[in-house]
Amino acid sequence: MTQKTAIIPITLPTPFDVGPVNCVLLKSDAVTLVDSGAKTEESKQMLISALKDHGLTFKDLDHYICTHYHPDHAGLSKEIQDNGVQTFMLKEAVPYVSNDPHFMEQGEAFYTNLYHSFGVPDALGRLELLKLRKYRTFSSSFVPDTLPLPGDQVQGHEGFIFLKTPGHAPDHLSLYHEEDGILIGGDVLLPHISSNALLEPPAVNETERPRTMLQYRETLQYLMTLNLKTIYPGHGEPFTNAEQLITKRLHDHTERAKTLEHLLSDGPLTVFELCRRLFPKLYEKQLGLVVSEVVGHLDLLQSEGRVRVEEENKISYYRREQEL
Ligand SMILES: [Zn+2]
């Protein structure tokens, strides 16, 4: 007789601006932990004590599933795997979580060149690289044991399947229970903030960076076709108004794209100039996020034939296609 899966969120502190992160404990025939929090001593102790409240230690977990490689979700993966727990991630996660040296090196060169082409002053670009390196220290490298495919059953939790939900991260997965309308969604859809479609380097054996904003919008449109009643997000409280929220997120993207298009009315601009105009207060402190946000919306405009890119001395200028 199979048992219905109990879903138990566990909230842990992170050292990041996003605030606390939610892991999820799934209990039925099997015991599975989804996500593990950042690699800090405080977070680790809180996770251990939350599991203890359910009579569990790391060793008692049957499976560990990580939604995506970001350190606030994947940070303690290795510590859990080292206890003999079978670890699941999508195959796209492997170069990130294993700290593949070739991929990391290429990634850094990619960001350096890209930031330069965006017109970001080199000193600010270097600072972002240092921030990225620091960010990565909140996760230990590991190699997942099992790389599930989209549509695969989640072992031991009847009715749950793996979904591929890229955009916020290229390796992002969610767990979906169609009959009960449940999505364990990581950062695919958050109730209080819009998920950033972050800039990413080209995947292994690719030369072009993924258009993460377009991927993310496809993911949102795909989610709209599902039976979504209750979402357990990676940050914030569980919520039920997924359809309304997705509609709002898609609408907000098109509005922001319009704003950017308007900023290009007086002539072509670099990404960095657009960042300063769109986020005059935020751009220096949060340059990485701001650049991702601007480029994502420019990619959207470009995909619709509303802007084009012109290169001059290795700097990219975005020009509005339609005349006013
Ligand atoms: Zn994330």
Side-chain angles (χ1 to χ4, degrees), residues 257-272:
K258 271 188 215 161
T259 306
L260 275 173
E261 195 179 26
H262 188 73
L263 286 172
L264 295 173
S265 297
D266 297 331
L269 293 173
T270 63
V271 168
F272 186 61

Side-chain angles (χ1 to χ4, degrees), residues 110 114-115 117-118 120 196-200 209-214 256 260 270-272 274-275 278-279 287-303 307 318:
F110 161 82
L114 194 69
Y115 271 54
S117 77
F118 288 162
V120 174
N196 233 282
L198 298 165
L199 265 181
E200 291 288 345
R209 67 177 172 86
R211 269 32 183 184
T212 54
M213 174 61 122
L214 304 182
R256 178 147 285 170
L260 275 173
T270 63
V271 168
F272 186 61
L274 285 166
C275 288
L278 202 59
F279 300 98
L287 188 62
L289 287 180
V290 167
V291 167
S292 288
E293 180 82 7
V294 167
V295 173
H297 290 87
L298 287 171
D299 286 347
L300 179 58
L301 288 169
Q302 201 181 359
S303 76
V307 301
Y318 284 81

Side-chain angles (χ1 to χ4, degrees), residues 134-296:
K134 166 97 179 139
Y135 177 63
R136 288 199 184 119
T137 64
F138 291 100
S139 187
S140 298
S141 66
F142 69 103
V143 180
D145 302 297
T146 305
L147 309 174
L149 295 171
D152 281 359
Q153 302 276 342
V154 180
Q155 295 168 33
H157 302 287
E158 199 175 85
F160 274 98
I161 58 166
F162 288 94
L163 298 184
K164 183 177 175 178
T165 48
H168 169 69
D171 63 330
H172 201 293
L173 67 78
S174 304
L175 305 181
Y176 175 50
H177 193 298
E178 183 174 19
E179 203 183 315
D180 294 349
I182 291 167
L183 188 80
I184 296 168
D187 287 351
V188 76
L189 189 62
L190 301 177
H192 54 304
I193 42 169
S194 64
S195 299
N196 233 282
L198 298 165
L199 265 181
E200 291 288 345
V204 176
N205 298 327
E206 299 275 340
T207 51
E208 287 277 305
R209 67 177 172 86
R211 269 32 183 184
T212 54
M213 174 61 122
L214 304 182
Q215 278 183 341
Y216 181 53
R217 287 172 61 80
E218 254 175 50
T219 292
L220 289 182
Q221 279 149 357
Y222 168 61
L223 292 182
M224 278 291 239
T225 67
L226 304 180
N227 173 36
L228 297 183
K229 288 198 184 121
T230 312
I231 317 287
Y232 291 86
H235 306 275
E237 297 292 316
F239 59 93
T240 53
N241 58 335
E243 202 178 309
Q244 196 190 343
L245 207 54
I246 293 170
T247 307
K248 177 171 163 38
R249 295 284 182 260
L250 290 169
H251 175 77
D252 289 351
H253 294 160
T254 53
E255 286 303 304
R256 178 147 285 170
K258 271 188 215 161
T259 306
L260 275 173
E261 195 179 26
H262 188 73
L263 286 172
L264 295 173
S265 297
D266 297 331
L269 293 173
T270 63
V271 168
F272 186 61
E273 283 164 338
L274 285 166
C275 288
R276 289 169 52 168
R277 287 179 202 207
L278 202 59
F279 300 98
K281 292 215 177 82
L282 207 60
Y283 84 92
E284 266 192 313
K285 208 172 149 258
Q286 300 255 36
L287 188 62
L289 287 180
V290 167
V291 167
S292 288
E293 180 82 7
V294 167
V295 173

